Amino acid sequence: MNKDISLLSEKQELKDNLVLPDKYLKNEFLYSIIMATYNVAPYIDDSMESLENQLLDFESNVQVIFVNDGSTDNSLEVVQRWQRKYPKNVFIINQKNAGVSAARNAGIEAATGKYINFLDPDDMLDSGVLLRLNFFFKKHPEVKIAHIPLYTFEAKNEPHNLNKLFTKDEEIVDIEEHSNKIFAHISSSFFLRELFSDETLRFEVGRKYGEDLALVAKLVEREKKFALINNFFYRYRARDAGDSAMDNSRSDSATYIPNLKMMLELIHENKKDGKIDKWLQTVIMYDLAWKIRRDELPFEKPENFDQNYWSLVHKVLQYIDEEKIRSVGHLKWVQKEALIYFMYSGKLPSVEGSIGIPVPLINDVKLINGEKEYYLSNVNSNVYIFKYRPDTDSINIVGTIDHLFGKKSLTITATDGYQTFTSELLNEPSRIKLIGNSIHSIYTYSFDIPVKLLRNSEYIKIEVNFNNVCRPLKIKFAGMLVSVGNNIKSNYVFAGAKLLRFNFEKLYFEVKENNLKNLTRFENDLIAKLESKKGISLERKARLIYLRKLALQSKISSKVINIFEDRPNKADDNAEVFYKYVDDKHPEWDNYFILQRDSVDWERLEKQGYTLVEYGSKKHEELLIQAQNLISSQASLTEMRPWPKNFGYLRDAYHYNFVFLQHGVTKHDLSLWLRKIEKDIRLLVTVSEQEKQGFLDYGYEYTPQEVKVTGFPRFDRFSVDFSNSKENGKILIAPTWRNGIWQESDTTEVKIEKLKETEFYQNWQKLLFSGYIKSLVDQGNNVSLMLHPLLREVEDGFEVPSYINNISFETRYVDVLKATDLLITDFSSIYFDIAYQGKPTLYYQFDNGNDNNKKGYFDFDTMGFGPVCSDIEGLNNELKKIVRNKYRMTDIYQQRVHSFFKYTDSENSKRLDGEISDLMYRTQNNKEKNSISYSLKDIESLYNGYKQKVFTFKTKIKKYVKKD
């Protein structure tokens, strides 16, 4: 007999003949539910009711063991109430605070149920869970571990990402056959109590995080199998307050190095012949990936943290197969390849260098990383911008490549067979990191190819170059704004004297003379696709063709059409102010302001002579496709692409310059949202050199020619007066908002409930009901509250004292800001409007704001226009100083105003108009130089045939219906 098989048989025989202690032979209940209890009083009732309401009889089958781990709230009183209700079922252990591991271990010793579960007292079980498990265990008594899927509720309502492994109603998993079927959440698992007769199988006391993962792994490695029971859920409470142990673990350094040491212990306990089984590999990689995938660590690194942490990671990875690293779902592919490179080399890759070993071939480059090979000839590029710039008479192509070749030796060029064009590498910081260590940067390239240089060109081919090896770049088109679509394949670019279209078979841009013959052919090809498309009505097809005609006529016309817009439902921002200036200054331009007809601003602007067009109307659609400039204070697709349906047939027809006026001064890093490949901003308006530099430094991908310091048009309404002094002033309290408080699907009532549980709400309520605020009102000061527009739906949830004015959302901001003498806010950018007037601001920053606010150039402590306070006491102290100083801005903050704002005059609109006028002058000048050889009538005639085609098509359908 094989020696290994013999040893296994002996071990199994010993296991089968193991005599259990008496306590494990007698089961007084079917289930023992152990709840480690520490300061969870508000949640215990929900948890107990979920047990009480089980379809399985509670009193006969369920023992609940509360281990009160030194709670300082009224948790003990709550559980004692439940014990009085069920004296035979509810058992209480009181102990000094020793942590969740010690509490659960105490529960194990007291348990008398056949199966044990570790329900957290702020979570719940579906009513059918215990009965469903009973069905299973009766049928399969040999299975000692069962796991159910997990679903979060409260702050998040979503399935756990491992729920995808539940593919059957019930499944017995052999870990040697199904190494990907893992779980690590012990509370949603059920264990035969006799497993714990081995006293080494306990939670590790003193371990702050990951104690459940360690025990789960040990138990499963002992049994080698477990069950997955589907369709009945463990309900995990993702607390609105964000104060659970899981929430805290994300920002605690103790969840990093100690967890790696725990993983190494698991490895050494379970390794055989220097290896561990694939199931344990999967568990370890799953847990490790959640930590190392972070862009930044949420705590200050202790000394030598990186060295110690990565040394341990390297040791762990020596026991992980490449395929297990590559199969992890929550790492980006580059992160996976970086880990494999690190596993072999012991060094994290740099942004500049390759991830792997480049090997030159005769006409290619092979990159070897572990067992995988990557080739330069297979590098792909996503092109986000392919557009003609009439002001520079050039073709602008902007794309990215995702690759492992690094930046150091990589370049992107274009050729027409006669000449080579070198791209510009746009500033793109490393966005792919491993706990703050930059490992890779997307290569973002930009071409500006003058049309006049394409005089003899028939194509433009983009190539990737590495160490003098050049290969064609595989092109795909991406993003909402690109002029070419991968599906339609007939879009083309009207580029002055040339027409360009991408050839998807030969992977290059065709270049043709812009004459009526070629234009007709290109347009016919696209419209033929449209006419053959099913699912689009005949009326809509005719409408799309008509819009294309308008766009073409506009491209050869000298008429300037400007579209101005703030929010679809609200004006009163930069676009409204700038419209008035431009319309007065340029009667030769056609200027339109877009607004919903039911907006509170419609009637006011109509009386002032604004040419208003209803948002979403046919007129709006016709104007936007003809516009030379879209001038907006907002940068969402609701302004830039209001009609997503059938957009592919118009994507090459839009040709406006997007002039972004901004709604507020950009202070955080918003580059992932506003960068060039997402918005293609042609002229970005800023108020200071610091703000402009922020756009140039943080990876927005814009050039100095596209980011201009002109000042905001709405600042023209203000004047600076540092000498303003008030005995009694007007104080404006203006909170911003916080994302993630509620789900969009929540009712208003639920949203308000969730809001009230947040630190954000509670801190602002403290201020509103502050005794000092009340005393200021009593002394003759005026205090008002102005909520952020995104809080409009839940405004009724805020309790506002009668002595504080509650400013409605319909009130004009300009009137409020002009009247304000002091602003109290957390992060609202209106503090720039206040500072521009020479008025003080108090920052009430009890948290870091929205969790997606990435730190930018603006530092509140050194650049802010007033003191930064983290609590109500500090805020009141600073408020008293400002009141004593008669609401005047002190010298230090006056200096900051002067050093931040480049201009503090009332000529912001004038400067911006100069930039746009220059843009239009250059555009018109190039149109005249190109002297395209056909007229508006030629374009009209080009489309005449389509009206007849659509009409004939409709007639044929009618005849067919009649015959039928």
Side-chain angles (χ1 to χ4, degrees):
M1 181 182 286
N2 182 287
K3 186 178 179 183
D4 288 340
I5 295 175
S6 177
L7 284 172
L8 283 171
S9 298
E10 288 176 19
K11 284 183 179 180
Q12 185 62 43
E13 187 176 346
L14 285 170
K15 186 176 176 182
D16 292 341
N17 295 329
L18 184 67
V19 178
L20 294 173
D22 289 342
K23 67 173 288 186
Y24 293 100
L25 294 173
K26 182 180 180 183
N27 298 308
E28 297 177 355
F29 293 91
L30 185 56
Y31 297 103
S32 287
I33 310 295
I34 297 168
M35 290 202 247
T37 306
Y38 179 74
N39 289 355
V40 285
Y43 312 112
I44 293 172
D45 286 345
D46 287 345
S47 188
M48 274 301 296
E49 285 170 7
S50 81
L51 296 176
E52 185 183 40
N53 295 328
Q54 288 293 306
L55 298 178
L56 185 83
D57 182 66
F58 174 77
E59 294 189 66
S60 304
N61 295 284
V62 182
Q63 176 190 43
V64 181
I65 302 171
F66 286 104
V67 185
N68 181 39
D69 191 38
S71 294
T72 57
D73 68 353
N74 66 329
S75 292
L76 180 58
E77 297 171 21
V78 177
V79 300
Q80 285 173 336
R81 174 162 45 80
W82 280 100
Q83 186 182 49
R84 288 192 294 273
K85 185 174 182 180
Y86 296 107
K88 294 181 180 179
N89 300 81
V90 177
F91 187 70
I92 300 174
I93 300 173
N94 267 309
Q95 65 180 36
K96 291 182 179 178
N97 183 258
V100 66
S101 293
R104 285 173 171 172
N105 289 341
I108 292 172
E109 301 308 319
T112 60
K114 187 174 183 179
Y115 297 97
I116 284 178
N117 167 261
F118 302 95
L119 176 67
D120 285 329
D122 52 352
D123 298 340
M124 298 185 291
L125 296 178
D126 279 357
S127 61
V129 166
L130 298 185
L131 181 57
R132 178 66 182 88
L133 286 165
N134 197 20
F135 292 161
F136 175 81
F137 284 130
K138 284 284 187 181
K139 187 168 54 174
H140 299 285
E142 76 282 5
V143 178
K144 300 176 183 178
I145 304 170
H147 183 66
I148 62 175
L150 184 148
Y151 209 103
T152 62
F153 70 100
E154 196 171 280
K156 297 178 182 176
N157 291 281
E158 59 190 20
H160 192 278
N161 67 306
L162 286 180
N163 286 7
K164 63 183 179 233
L165 300 178
F166 291 79
T167 57
K168 303 175 183 177
D169 284 346
E170 62 180 49
E171 179 182 11
I172 298 174
V173 176
D174 183 324
I175 67 171
E176 293 179 357
E177 295 178 4
H178 300 285
S179 63
N180 67 313
K181 300 271 187 174
I182 64 168
F183 68 95
H185 191 261
I186 203 163
S187 297
S188 52
S189 306
F190 294 78
F191 306 91
L192 187 69
R193 184 167 59 93
E194 71 177 44
L195 289 172
F196 296 96
S197 63
D198 181 347
E199 294 186 356
T200 65
L201 294 175
R202 293 293 186 273
F203 294 94
E204 183 183 345
V205 177
R207 179 171 298 286
K208 198 170 182 181
Y209 306 111
E211 73 291 334
D212 52 349
L213 172 66
L215 185 56
V216 162
K218 289 177 182 178
L219 287 164
V220 172
E221 285 291 332
R222 183 76 61 96
E223 288 298 307
K224 299 297 182 184
K225 65 181 177 182
F226 58 86
L228 296 177
I229 309 299
N230 202 2
N231 303 318
F232 296 86
F233 293 95
Y234 181 98
R235 302 289 174 175
Y236 176 84
R237 188 187 300 268
R239 295 187 197 172
D240 285 322
D243 58 354
S244 69
M246 182 65 72
D247 292 316
N248 293 332
S249 72
R250 296 187 180 100
S251 58
D252 193 334
S253 61
T255 193
Y256 286 82
I257 287 177
N259 264 33
L260 282 171
K261 291 179 178 178
M262 177 267 290
M263 289 177 184
L264 284 170
E265 290 171 10
L266 277 175
I267 288 169
H268 291 308
E269 288 173 8
N270 292 281
K271 70 180 179 180
K272 184 179 180 182
D273 299 328
K275 298 180 180 180
I276 58 174
D277 64 60
K278 292 184 182 296
W279 184 86
L280 186 56
Q281 288 184 42
T282 307
V283 170
I284 288 172
M285 272 311 303
Y286 177 81
D287 187 71
L288 178 62
W290 281 115
K291 296 175 177 62
I292 62 176
R293 72 195 291 263
R294 292 172 177 268
D295 283 351
E296 303 292 343
L297 285 173
F299 54 83
E300 189 172 340
K301 293 181 182 179
E303 188 176 358
N304 297 324
F305 176 88
D306 271 338
Q307 180 181 347
N308 296 333
Y309 183 78
W310 286 107
S311 174
L312 291 170
V313 171
H314 188 255
K315 290 177 181 178
V316 168
L317 290 178
Q318 303 313 302
Y319 297 91
I320 309 296
D321 295 342
E322 279 187 39
E323 59 105 358
K324 286 300 176 186
I325 297 175
R326 288 193 172 102
S327 64
V328 173
H330 44 289
L331 287 179
K332 297 173 182 175
W333 77 280
V334 175
Q335 291 173 316
K336 297 173 189 180
E337 294 302 326
L339 281 180
I340 291 168
Y341 179 85
F342 174 67
M343 177 174 70
Y344 287 112
S345 70
K347 297 190 300 182
L348 286 172
S350 69
V351 173
E352 297 296 318
S354 301
I355 300 178
I357 307 170
V359 178
L361 305 176
I362 294 175
N363 195 27
D364 209 341
V365 178
K366 177 170 66 176
L367 194 68
I368 304 173
N369 193 41
E371 298 170 359
K372 275 217 168 188
E373 297 176 349
Y374 296 90
Y375 290 85
L376 187 67
S377 56
N378 288 330
V379 171
N380 290 301
S381 173
N382 281 329
V383 169
Y384 290 87
I385 297 171
F386 170 41
K387 194 169 184 179
Y388 173 62
R389 306 294 187 188
D391 57 305
T392 56
D393 195 27
S394 62
I395 307 297
N396 185 209
I397 303 172
V398 181
T400 65
I401 59 171
D402 209 359
H403 62 103
L404 300 178
F405 286 85
K407 280 187 172 182
K408 187 176 182 180
S409 303
L410 198 72
T411 57
I412 306 297
T413 57
T415 182
D416 63 354
Y418 306 104
Q419 55 195 329
T420 298
F421 307 98
T422 302
S423 68
E424 178 187 358
L425 177 62
L426 297 182
N427 177 26
E428 182 76 31
S430 175
R431 300 191 192 276
I432 301 182
K433 302 178 182 180
L434 293 173
I435 59 167
N437 295 274
S438 298
I439 60 167
H440 182 70
S441 178
I442 294 292
Y443 194 107
T444 305
Y445 62 89
S446 176
F447 290 100
D448 279 296
I449 301 174
V451 172
K452 66 182 179 182
L453 296 182
L454 303 178
R455 189 173 296 108
N456 301 314
S457 305
E458 295 182 359
Y459 67 86
I460 298 174
K461 183 184 296 183
I462 301 181
E463 298 174 325
V464 57
N465 308 269
F466 185 85
N467 286 344
N468 299 318
V469 177
C470 181
R471 298 294 299 168
L473 192 59
K474 294 185 175 180
I475 296 290
K476 293 182 179 179
F477 293 90
M480 277 297 296
L481 302 177
V482 70
S483 299
V484 175
N486 293 314
N487 295 326
I488 296 174
K489 294 183 170 59
S490 298
N491 300 115
Y492 65 94
V493 170
F494 187 102
K498 298 290 181 179
L499 299 172
L500 284 88
R501 181 170 65 178
F502 191 72
N503 188 315
F504 284 86
E505 293 180 3
K506 297 181 179 179
L507 297 180
Y508 60 57
F509 297 92
E510 298 176 10
V511 180
K512 302 292 182 183
E513 290 298 317
N514 191 349
N515 55 42
L516 195 56
K517 177 183 175 182
N518 288 328
L519 179 67
T520 302
R521 181 164 65 87
F522 276 21
E523 193 69 11
N524 281 345
D525 288 347
L526 191 141
I527 293 177
K529 292 282 187 184
L530 172 60
E531 289 186 316
S532 64
K533 178 68 176 177
K534 297 179 180 179
I536 303 177
S537 69
L538 293 173
E539 288 78 12
R540 182 59 181 164
K541 288 179 180 179
R543 175 72 175 167
L544 293 171
I545 294 170
Y546 174 66
L547 292 169
R548 292 191 63 82
K549 181 185 76 171
L550 292 180
L552 265 182
Q553 289 176 336
S554 175
K555 288 173 184 178
I556 66 168
S557 170
S558 60
K559 182 191 292 185
V560 174
I561 296 176
N562 295 315
I563 301 290
F564 294 80
E565 187 173 356
D566 286 321
R567 297 180 187 273
N569 64 344
K570 184 119 176 78
D572 205 27
D573 205 336
N574 283 314
E576 176 188 319
V577 177
F578 190 51
Y579 171 97
K580 184 64 176 170
Y581 183 91
V582 171
D583 204 43
D584 290 343
K585 183 78 180 293
H586 295 282
E588 74 278 13
W589 292 351
D590 291 349
N591 303 305
Y592 301 91
F593 196 90
I594 306 298
L595 192 62
Q596 290 176 359
R597 187 173 289 275
D598 59 358
S599 168
V600 294
D601 296 313
W602 182 281
E603 185 178 352
R604 175 177 62 82
L605 295 184
E606 193 172 44
K607 288 179 179 177
Q608 293 179 28
Y610 282 62
T611 303
L612 299 176
V613 174
E614 185 174 6
Y615 176 86
S617 65
K618 285 189 173 183
K619 181 70 171 176
H620 180 193
E621 189 177 32
E622 292 166 10
L623 288 170
L624 188 58
I625 209 157
Q626 298 178 78
Q628 275 67 48
N629 299 299
L630 171 60
I631 304 169
S632 176
S633 63
Q634 304 295 319
S636 67
L637 289 175
T638 55
E639 286 78 41
M640 304 170 76
R641 292 291 185 268
W643 304 275
K645 191 174 182 182
N646 315 134
F647 173 68
Y649 296 99
L650 296 176
R651 60 169 66 247
D652 56 340
Y654 288 101
H655 56 283
Y656 58 73
N657 300 302
F658 180 39
V659 179
F660 184 39
L661 305 177
Q662 297 204 75
H663 167 62
V665 176
T666 298
K667 53 195 182 295
H668 293 99
D669 176 6
L670 302 179
S671 56
L672 283 177
W673 181 62
L674 277 180
R675 58 184 174 167
K676 188 180 186 71
I677 61 174
E678 299 293 337
K679 305 297 181 184
D680 188 25
I681 300 170
R682 192 61 178 155
L683 181 58
L684 202 165
V685 176
T686 63
V687 305
S688 74
E689 292 294 342
Q690 294 97 316
E691 186 188 15
K692 175 179 179 176
Q693 200 59 43
F695 279 110
L696 300 178
D697 289 345
Y698 281 80
Y700 289 84
E701 303 160 345
Y702 296 107
T703 64
Q705 291 72 40
E706 293 165 314
V707 185
K708 299 292 184 178
V709 185
T710 64
F712 284 173
R714 73 166 184 255
F715 286 177
D716 289 345
R717 297 164 162 176
F718 305 136
S719 58
V720 181
D721 184 4
F722 291 118
S723 65
N724 186 40
S725 130
K726 296 283 184 71
E727 291 294 335
N728 292 311
K730 292 184 177 180
I731 301 171
L732 177 64
I733 298 173
T736 46
W737 57 290
R738 298 294 182 273
N739 55 19
I741 293 177
W742 56 71
Q743 302 288 318
E744 282 306 312
S745 57
D746 290 341
T747 64
T748 300
E749 291 73 20
V750 170
K751 289 178 180 179
I752 289 174
E753 286 176 18
K754 290 182 175 181
L755 172 72
K756 288 185 174 181
E757 293 178 5
T758 63
E759 179 188 21
F760 167 75
Y761 174 86
Q762 291 159 8
N763 276 288
W764 284 109
Q765 289 292 152
K766 280 182 189 176
L767 176 60
L768 294 177
F769 285 90
S770 159
Y772 184 58
I773 290 289
K774 174 67 165 62
S775 70
L776 286 175
V777 175
D778 292 340
Q779 293 165 22
N781 296 278
N782 178 286
V783 179
S784 299
L785 172 68
M786 185 171 72
L787 296 175
H788 192 279
L790 291 176
L791 294 173
R792 180 169 193 163
E793 187 180 355
V794 294
E795 64 176 317
D796 290 343
F798 284 86
E799 298 176 35
V800 183
S802 58
Y803 49 84
I804 292 181
N805 303 315
N806 198 353
I807 297 173
S808 73
F809 288 94
E810 286 71 29
T811 307
R812 295 188 66 197
Y813 277 12
V814 62
D815 296 333
V816 176
L817 299 180
K818 276 186 173 181
T820 295
D821 298 307
L822 166 67
L823 172 67
I824 301 176
T825 188
D826 44 6
F827 299 98
S828 173
S829 62
I830 61 172
Y831 65 78
F832 290 103
D833 297 68
I834 296 297
Y836 197 87
Q837 300 176 70
K839 300 172 182 177
T841 292
L842 268 177
Y843 300 101
Y844 185 27
Q845 296 180 354
F846 44 80
D847 64 7
N848 294 321
N850 282 317
D851 54 21
N852 61 346
N853 280 350
K854 294 181 68 177
K855 186 175 175 59
Y857 68 91
F858 193 91
D859 181 80
F860 286 93
D861 290 316
T862 60
M863 298 175 69
F865 308 115
V868 180
C869 309
S870 60
D871 54 48
I872 194 71
E873 291 78 15
L875 183 72
N876 281 337
N877 287 335
E878 294 296 341
L879 182 53
K880 288 173 184 176
K881 294 177 186 177
I882 292 173
V883 172
R884 282 199 299 267
N885 197 40
K886 298 183 178 180
Y887 293 91
R888 289 191 297 262
M889 184 180 270
T890 55
D891 290 346
I892 183 174
Y893 299 118
Q894 289 184 31
Q895 292 168 8
R896 290 183 184 180
V897 169
H898 286 303
S899 65
F900 183 79
F901 293 101
K902 184 170 184 178
Y903 307 105
T904 52
D905 54 24
S906 298
E907 297 190 339
N908 301 292
S909 295
K910 180 179 179 181
R911 283 184 289 271
L912 177 55
D913 173 65
E915 296 290 346
I916 293 177
S917 295
D918 183 53
L919 192 66
M920 291 299 94
Y921 171 78
R922 287 183 277 118
T923 297
Q924 189 57 38
N925 195 36
N926 285 324
K927 280 186 178 181
E928 292 172 0
K929 285 181 181 178
N930 287 325
S931 60
I932 296 171
S933 59
Y934 47 83
S935 65
L936 293 174
K937 287 184 179 180
D938 291 328
I939 292 177
E940 184 71 43
S941 64
L942 188 157
Y943 288 93
N944 282 339
Y946 296 114
K947 293 179 183 177
Q948 187 62 37
K949 283 182 182 179
V950 172
F951 177 76
T952 304
F953 190 30
K954 287 174 69 177
T955 304
K956 285 180 180 177
I957 284 182
K958 286 180 180 178
K959 287 180 179 178
Y960 177 80
V961 171
K962 286 178 182 177
K963 285 180 181 178
D964 188 56

